[in-house]
Amino acid sequence: MGYELQAVIAGDELLRVTSRDIPGARLAPLRQSLSLMPMTDEVFDAVTDGSTPGALGFWRLPGGFEKLLAQWSAAGPVAYVEAEYFGGVGEQRAAVWADGVLTLGPLDAPAKKWFSRAVTPISQALRRLGARRSLGEDEFEAVGLDRHRNNDDWIPSSTS
């Protein structure tokens, strides 16, 4: 079974306020006062400036969207994350903006080991957003990103 995610993650209130004027934006609640906005086709089309997608090495970051993420981050840290796995093999990428600038990443490889477990790019980004893990889990699991296996599955649990 595979796993696929392309999304913006930030604090509940920050993401609710900043995304309200984006057509098709849907927010899904995560744990630890975070929310997720899946990068749907409608959101992609609404936020692209028409330049070539793939900035910063992401697969599905809309052209120019990093400028909007930087603006949003003036109110608090904002992460853009991507993951794609099938059969336990795959990749993650993550970046975090804070105070109007890119402050982490883009990351595409696990970092140092944390109690014999490599810290994934998404877990590093979530840590910058304030997520905390418990014994036996990483930040990815702690906020509930393991609840759904793809972007489409997040939509029914989200609000506009």
Side-chain angles (χ1 to χ4, degrees), residues 49-108:
D49 67 3
S51 61
T52 305
L56 304 175
F58 287 98
W59 310 302
R60 190 158 163 77
L61 181 66
F65 189 44
E66 69 276 6
K67 295 172 194 151
L68 186 56
L69 294 173
Q71 289 174 357
W72 290 358
S73 77
V78 177
Y80 180 78
V81 302
E82 295 183 340
E84 188 172 322
Y85 286 92
F86 188 81
V89 177
E91 295 181 60
Q92 286 187 13
R93 290 191 67 78
V96 176
W97 288 261
D99 300 318
V101 297
L102 182 65
T103 58
L104 178 71
L107 304 172
D108 62 2

Side-chain angles (χ1 to χ4, degrees), residues 12-83:
D12 293 328
E13 181 67 12
L14 186 156
L15 200 53
R16 186 184 63 74
V17 169
T18 56
S19 68
R20 71 174 153 220
D21 294 329
I22 297 176
R26 306 283 295 200
L27 304 184
L30 298 172
R31 292 190 286 268
Q32 302 190 26
S33 299
L34 296 174
S35 288
L36 171 146
M37 180 180 73
M39 184 54 62
T40 63
D41 290 341
E42 189 174 3
V43 170
F44 185 99
D45 291 343
V47 299
T48 187
D49 67 3
S51 61
T52 305
L56 304 175
F58 287 98
W59 310 302
R60 190 158 163 77
L61 181 66
F65 189 44
E66 69 276 6
K67 295 172 194 151
L68 186 56
L69 294 173
Q71 289 174 357
W72 290 358
S73 77
V78 177
Y80 180 78
V81 302
E82 295 183 340

Side-chain angles (χ1 to χ4, degrees), residues 115-138:
F115 295 109
S116 77
R117 176 189 252 178
V119 182
T120 65
I122 292 176
S123 285
Q124 291 177 68
L126 291 169
R127 192 175 294 161
R128 288 284 180 101
L129 298 180
R132 296 292 170 246
R133 64 184 189 86
S134 298
L135 189 60
E137 69 180 359
D138 60 11

